Amino acid sequence: MKLKGWKEVNPGAVITEAGSALKFKTGSWRAFRPKWIEENCIQCLFCWIYCPDMAIKVKDGKRAEFDYDYCKGCGICALECPGKKGNKAIVMEEEGK
Ligand code: SF4
Ligand code: SF4
């Protein structure tokens, strides 16, 4: 059988709905979850800047709770958090603890 040249092939396309990260709740497969210790928080917002999933909310210019639907438990926020006087304001805990 002779294959068609590219000029003879009928043009076609597959159109599907555009993807949205909103639909993928990365928090559903988390093994560790960050815990916020508010009394050690100096409101530097490093955690908000570094979080790759925008899973740290800011309200009225201040850090608010985690959005656990989208937090995948990577631990970057806990690593970057300076905390107060060396006491971390974010610690990682095993999920379901
Ligand atoms: S653990 Fe990772 S995904 Fe979850 S809030 Fe911290 S930086 Fe964001
Ligand atoms: S990085 Fe730590 S100290 Fe800074 S806002 Fe986030 S929780 Fe608070």
Side-chain angles (χ1 to χ4, degrees):
M1 189 180 90
K2 187 177 177 294
L3 294 177
K4 288 181 179 179
W6 69 270
K7 287 183 181 172
E8 299 160 302
V9 174
N10 292 330
V14 177
I15 299 173
T16 60
E17 189 189 346
S20 168
L22 280 173
K23 287 188 179 174
F24 301 106
K25 297 203 169 171
T26 44
S28 64
W29 47 261
R30 188 177 48 234
F32 287 87
R33 68 162 44 206
K35 181 180 155 196
W36 184 33
I37 304 166
E38 195 171 353
E39 59 267 29
N40 292 341
C41 179
I42 58 169
Q43 294 295 339
C44 65
L45 298 182
F46 278 11
C47 52
W48 173 71
I49 291 168
Y50 280 104
C51 176
D53 287 287
M54 294 183 72
I56 293 167
K57 298 292 168 199
V58 172
K59 196 172 175 214
D60 300 327
K62 293 199 164 188
R63 187 220 196 278
E65 252 307 345
F66 292 100
D67 183 344
Y68 286 114
D69 278 348
Y70 297 101
C71 163
K72 63 186 172 204
C74 66
I76 292 173
C77 56
L79 187 74
E80 297 298 338
C81 172
K84 190 188 281 177
K85 296 181 181 167
N87 296 310
K88 290 274 186 186
I90 304 174
V91 292
M92 299 302 289
E93 289 187 334
E94 213 170 310
E95 186 67 39
K97 194 178 162 188

